[in-house]
Amino acid sequence: MSAIRRVEVSGGTTYSIEIGAGLLDDGARLARTVRGRHALIVSDENVAPLYLARLEAALHASRPSLSVAHFVIPPGEHEKTLARFGECLGALAALGATRDASVIALGGGVVGDLAGFAAACWMRGIDCVQVPTTLLAMVDSSVGGKTAVDLPSGKNLVGAFHPPRAVIADTTALRTLPDRELRAGLAEVVKYGAIFDASFLDWLEAHAEALLARDDEALAEAVARSCRYKADVVARDLYEHGDRAMLNFGHTFGHAIETEQGYAGTRGDGLNHGEAVAVGMVLAARLSAALGRASAADVDRLKHLLERLDLPTSIPDGLAPQALLERMRLDKKADAAGLRFILWDKAGAARIVAGVPDDAVLAVLAAG
Ligand code: ADP
Ligand code: ZN
């Protein structure tokens, strides 16, 4: 087995993220993160047939006394509901879970958010161990402690800050991930380079092919570096009052595209979240250049890297600039002072800018 990378996260509680090939079968490591006598594994119908038995066997081998049950939901964002949350609590009740029980989230962001929120609420909070199986969950949602479910009126409207007890990311689980899901995760990886570290963009340029080929070492390095950037910003700003908002680079535009398409990406006929963020980052970079912040060369560099990763870089046909602008006004990230964006000073350095004039935004949207 190759080296295991470890990232410590602090701020509120402290936990570690461990990244490496084969960690799913490392029962001793998994068992160390589980304190009590009960564990509920939450997963979905795509992931469970691939990895649930392995995880259960590994846990059983190193802790035979642990009472393990599972709760498996159908796949997809539309399953992140209060109804599934209630069923998950029911599964904890059926297991006889006590205050030292653990929830283990085995899956992508949907499973992680739902399982994390159930853990946050069961007996006012029990341990949640995140075992992310998508790249997006490894580099983003499993780290930082945001948990939530959706309501019919909007995404993530009910939730809690509940940092995990540990995050265990096995890069070999990414071998079965559909191509589009892998690329969506890579968009968020590029985001970290774009806002925090131009040298990480160099690294990504040098390893684009290896990442697309799912090379374990390249993936582990990309996940570890991404988690480190996120851990740094989360430690400074656990509850998202300031710096953590930097992670929304590309997301104001991206969310407008996602909502204008009616979250079509979750049905497969529009952009998914990572793809929308890829387009959003290019738009944010171009807006930065238009406002005299970033250079055109930096914008081209970002666009070229995203293209090499097979990600979209322009607004899909049929989305009107004015409609997208209206969506951004309704976004919870907007405020009375006008639109707020995360803008580049240059590649690797971004800041939050309020009061961005509508006409500058419209010009960028109109150029596509
Ligand atoms: P996210 O992209 O936010 O992590 P999901 O939890 O919706 O989102 O996962 C994306 C899709 O990928 C879901 O259909 C899920 O079942 C599937 N999936 C997750 N992990 C794997 C994996 N390792 N192999 C195959 N499919 C996976
Ligand atoms: Zn995102």
Side-chain angles (χ1 to χ4, degrees):
M1 194 192 289
S2 57
I4 292 162
R5 289 168 171 80
R6 202 185 164 89
V7 178
E8 301 294 335
V9 189
S10 59
T13 56
T14 301
Y15 56 96
S16 65
I17 306 165
E18 293 176 298
I19 304 137
L23 296 190
L24 267 174
D25 301 307
D26 187 342
R29 184 180 307 275
L30 290 160
R32 268 204 300 280
T33 66
V34 173
R35 289 185 303 150
R37 290 167 293 135
H38 305 106
L40 179 71
I41 303 175
V42 181
S43 192
D44 75 25
E45 286 168 2
N46 291 334
V47 178
L50 295 166
Y51 302 111
L52 179 61
R54 267 170 67 187
L55 184 66
E56 282 178 334
L59 273 173
H60 184 73
S62 57
R63 182 90 67 80
S65 62
L66 189 69
S67 174
V68 181
H70 55 257
F71 172 63
V72 177
I73 59 169
E77 175 77 27
H78 49 278
E79 295 294 332
K80 227 174 81 175
T81 60
L82 275 177
R84 294 290 180 212
F85 165 75
E87 290 172 16
C88 191
L89 297 179
L92 282 163
L95 179 63
T98 45
R99 292 218 43 199
D100 56 0
S102 296
V103 173
I104 301 176
L106 173 69
V110 170
V111 162
D113 277 10
L114 175 74
F117 186 45
C121 296
W122 180 254
M123 296 190 171
R124 300 196 183 85
I126 60 172
D127 286 347
C128 182
V129 178
Q130 292 282 348
V131 184
T133 62
T134 66
L135 184 58
L136 190 60
M138 288 183 188
V139 300
D140 188 9
S141 50
S142 69
V143 182
K146 282 195 195 177
T147 71
V149 296
D150 302 336
L151 293 183
S153 46
K155 288 179 75 171
N156 297 325
L157 286 180
V158 187
F161 284 99
H162 186 64
R165 165 109 176 142
V167 182
I168 294 177
D170 183 344
T171 51
T172 66
L174 300 176
R175 290 176 193 167
T176 54
L177 194 64
D179 275 334
R180 263 187 93 180
E181 303 292 342
L182 182 80
R183 294 196 299 262
L186 288 172
E188 300 275 0
V189 172
V190 169
K191 181 188 77 178
Y192 292 109
I195 57 177
F196 292 129
D197 186 354
S199 78
F200 187 41
L201 290 177
D202 296 335
W203 185 91
L204 289 167
E205 284 162 352
H207 294 83
E209 275 68 43
L211 290 165
L212 289 172
R214 305 175 197 227
D215 173 77
D216 279 319
E217 269 302 298
L219 286 169
E221 182 64 14
V223 172
R225 288 182 73 158
S226 299
C227 288
R228 228 164 263 142
Y229 298 118
K230 181 157 184 181
D232 283 349
V233 76
V234 168
R236 291 201 298 273
D237 181 20
L238 183 61
Y239 294 105
E240 197 166 33
H241 299 306
D243 267 9
R244 188 163 174 169
M246 296 267 275
L247 300 174
N248 292 324
F249 181 66
H251 281 60
T252 306
F253 285 112
H255 283 156
I257 293 170
E258 282 183 280
T259 46
E260 193 57 18
Q261 290 190 325
Y263 287 97
T266 57
R267 299 189 302 270
D269 52 358
L271 298 190
N272 66 26
H273 176 71
E275 291 165 342
V277 167
V279 175
M281 289 193 291
V282 173
L283 297 176
R286 285 193 3 230
L287 180 60
S288 308
L291 297 173
R293 291 170 173 272
S295 71
D298 278 343
V299 180
D300 286 344
R301 182 184 177 196
L302 175 68
K303 188 164 178 277
H304 187 63
L305 174 58
L306 293 168
E307 282 166 357
R308 280 184 61 201
L309 297 170
D310 229 345
L311 283 158
T313 55
S314 57
I315 301 174
D317 290 342
L319 300 185
Q322 193 64 43
L324 291 170
L325 184 69
E326 289 308 319
R327 293 284 180 186
M328 287 187 255
R329 284 220 187 85
L330 295 173
D331 194 305
K332 63 178 185 286
K333 285 164 189 89
D335 58 31
L339 288 174
R340 209 155 54 100
F341 286 91
I342 316 304
L343 294 180
W344 256 1
D345 289 330
K346 59 177 190 234
R351 74 175 70 209
I352 305 163
V353 179
V356 175
D358 282 2
D359 54 352
V361 179
L362 273 175
V364 166
L365 290 171

